[in-house]
Amino acid sequence: WGDPYVGNVTSTLTWNPLDFLYPTDPYFEYDNTIWIGTLSINNGATLTILPGGTLRERYNPQRLTINVGGTLDIKAGAFVWIYHFTNNGLLILESIADEEAVVQFYTTDWLGSGTSQIQLFMTGGYENVGGTDYYKWHYVSVPVEDFVPTVFTSATFDFAQYIESNVVSTDNMTGWVSWEGYNYVSGTYPGPTISSLKLGKGYNIWNEPVYNVYTISITGPLNVADVPT
């Protein structure tokens, strides 16, 4: 291996950006940066990127490729800046219990038909302020077409969509309908239910305090095309 790192990852390999320092130049812009050229992750191999810095393409054009059976696991808090990327294996973008500890992944050229696993961390329950309970709802949208929402609905009944046509007054609450078709205002089940999640559409979720630390994983082929509005 060298700088930039090129070739093939053939086994389990972990890179820590904090090991890539340039202490002789305190003004160097790219401390904690792992530079790569054309790099492939082979069948059966896993490349893990730890938090604390950036995986970055040294020259343009180069390409980072996950081959069939290969895995790229990017830990929460890491940043990946790869102009040319191919995923024919498994890409994992992790999330942990910290609003700032998410993966940042940037590319302008995405190819391949592999699978992506995107983790979302969400708090649960409620917070009491001045005698009033404020429930921790989260707005979510998924990057996988026709995603079956089992990972949401297995943890809570309160996974909802907003039906604008239901709103007939200034009370926006009449628009919220749970995945089972339950209307939060009327207390009835007029529908519609949610069987799959659509690209570009937002949903709302609240889970019980027992699930105060709750991470869901959205797995499937990542959408990289424009979403019609």
Side-chain angles (χ1 to χ4, degrees), residues 8 37 49 54 59 72 84 95 97 108-109 114 123-124 128 138 140 142 144 164 187 190:
N8 295 278
I49 308 299
T54 304
Y59 305 111
L72 174 60
H84 307 285
S95 175
T108 59
D109 176 21
T123 54
N128 186 281
H138 295 267
V140 297
V142 298
V144 175
E164 192 167 356

Side-chain angles (χ1 to χ4, degrees), residues 47-62:
L47 174 60
T48 300
I49 308 299
L50 299 182
T54 304
L55 180 70
R56 193 178 182 102
E57 195 174 306
R58 169 70 86 175
Y59 305 111
N60 191 4
Q62 303 291 315

Side-chain angles (χ1 to χ4, degrees), residues 187-208:
T188 60
Y189 287 81
T193 59
I194 303 174
S195 59
S196 63
L197 308 186
K198 302 302 180 183
L199 294 172
K201 182 173 181 176
Y203 301 88
N204 208 359
I205 182 172
W206 178 81
N207 48 287
E208 297 284 350

Side-chain angles (χ1 to χ4, degrees), residues 38-107:
T38 295
L39 183 69
S40 295
I41 303 170
N42 288 357
N43 182 23
T46 298
L47 174 60
T48 300
I49 308 299
L50 299 182
T54 304
L55 180 70
R56 193 178 182 102
E57 195 174 306
R58 169 70 86 175
Y59 305 111
N60 191 4
Q62 303 291 315
R63 183 170 291 276
L64 172 61
T65 299
I66 310 174
N67 290 322
V68 174
T71 301
L72 174 60
D73 185 359
I74 306 174
K75 299 298 184 180
F79 183 78
V80 176
W81 189 294
I82 301 295
Y83 290 102
H84 307 285
F85 177 70
T86 299
N87 179 20
N88 287 315
L90 174 62
L91 171 67
I92 302 174
L93 307 178
E94 295 197 15
S95 175
I96 60 175
D98 188 326
E99 290 183 359
E100 297 183 356
V102 296
V103 170
Q104 299 181 64
F105 189 96
Y106 174 84
T107 185

